[in-house]
């Protein structure tokens, strides 16, 4: 089927700020594979909707935007119509809107095929919420990456402060918990571990340890 016939996929799903993005990029780099940041597609749709002043409750209009995104990922950056929007995508309000529009069925359907199009040899590391459950259900390795909310809020706080962006730890924690709640309780493709996923708790692990753990699981499958 899809994931095994074209190229292998490692899916890395988990809640916001669990380190999925960094871990996925480093695992992909080590294996020489492509990486899919599926959350960026939801964030891009949200960003384009705000910029085009599209009604963010109009599900069909948002799905049309999602289908038409002229996006390209290269050199660790995300380009929309030739503009580097990497920073713009990280804005908290874009993340919050992305999580809202991710509950709309037409938007998820519009992005499904686009996500599968990222699959190419020699392999793909797919980072998101429903990579193992919906987008690549036959992936040979599925990781469900978790970390306690306090650790995740602290990581995000540190990232923002390092970038010179002011932040408030308790606001970040509250936002992250609200997003977790919305992602896990939505009717469509809720955030959850696939039945055959390996749950990895990174609360007390460094990025390097987490990456090595994923690579060890991948190596174990090969033997
Ligand atoms: O991972 P990131 O925080 O960039 O994702 C933004 C939002 O997009 C998430 O809060 C989630 O609601 C949504 N999303 C999703 N399915 C995915 C990836 C992201 O619903 N596969």
């Amino acid at each position: 089927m899809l994931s095994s016939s074209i190229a292998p996929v490692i899916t890395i799903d988990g809640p916001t700020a669990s380190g999925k993005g960094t871990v996925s990029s480093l695992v992909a780099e080590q294996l020489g594979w492509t990486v899919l940041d599926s959350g960026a597609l939801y964030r891009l749709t949200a960003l384009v909707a705000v910029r085009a002043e599209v009604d963010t409750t109009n599900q069909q209009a948002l799905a049309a935007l999602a289908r038409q995104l002229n996006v390209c990922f290269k050199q660790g950056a995300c380009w929309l119509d030739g503009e580097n929007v990497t920073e713009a995508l990280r804005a908290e309000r874009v993340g919050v809107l992305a999580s809202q529009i991710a509950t709309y069925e037409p938007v998820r359907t519009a992005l499904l095929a686009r996500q599968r199009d990222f699959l190419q040899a020699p392999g793909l590391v797919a980072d998101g919420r429903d990579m193992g459950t919906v987008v690549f259900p036959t992936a040979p390795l599925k990781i469900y990456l978790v970390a306690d909310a306090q650790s995740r809020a602290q990581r995000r706080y540190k990232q923002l402060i390092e970038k010179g962006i002011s932040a408030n730890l308790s606001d970040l924690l509250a936002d992250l918990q609200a997003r977790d709640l919305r992602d896990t309780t939505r009717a469509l493709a809720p955030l959850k571990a696939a039945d055959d996923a390996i749950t990895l708790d990174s609360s007390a692990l460094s990025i390097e340890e987490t990456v090595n753990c994923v690579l060890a699981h991948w190596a174990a499958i090969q033997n």
Side-chain angles (χ1 to χ4, degrees), residues 13-17 20 37-43 89-90 94-100 102-103 108 115 127-131 135 156 179-180 182-183 186 188-189:
D13 289 304
T16 195
K20 291 176 285 119
D37 173 3
S38 62
L41 297 176
Y42 288 91
R43 287 175 183 265
L89 288 188
R90 298 331 298 174
V94 173
V96 171
L97 183 57
S99 148
Q100 278 166 23
T103 63
R108 299 204 75 86
Q115 293 172 87
D127 148 17
R129 304 293 190 289
D130 60 343
M131 298 296 100
V135 183
R156 175 137 298 168
R179 206 176 309 176
D180 282 356
R182 191 160 43 226
D183 287 350
R186 70 180 176 218
L188 285 167

Side-chain angles (χ1 to χ4, degrees), residues 140-155:
L141 177 61
K142 300 177 183 178
I143 302 289
Y144 192 66
L145 189 61
V146 297
D148 59 64
Q150 194 68 38
S151 314
R152 290 186 283 132
Q154 257 153 6
R155 283 180 196 164

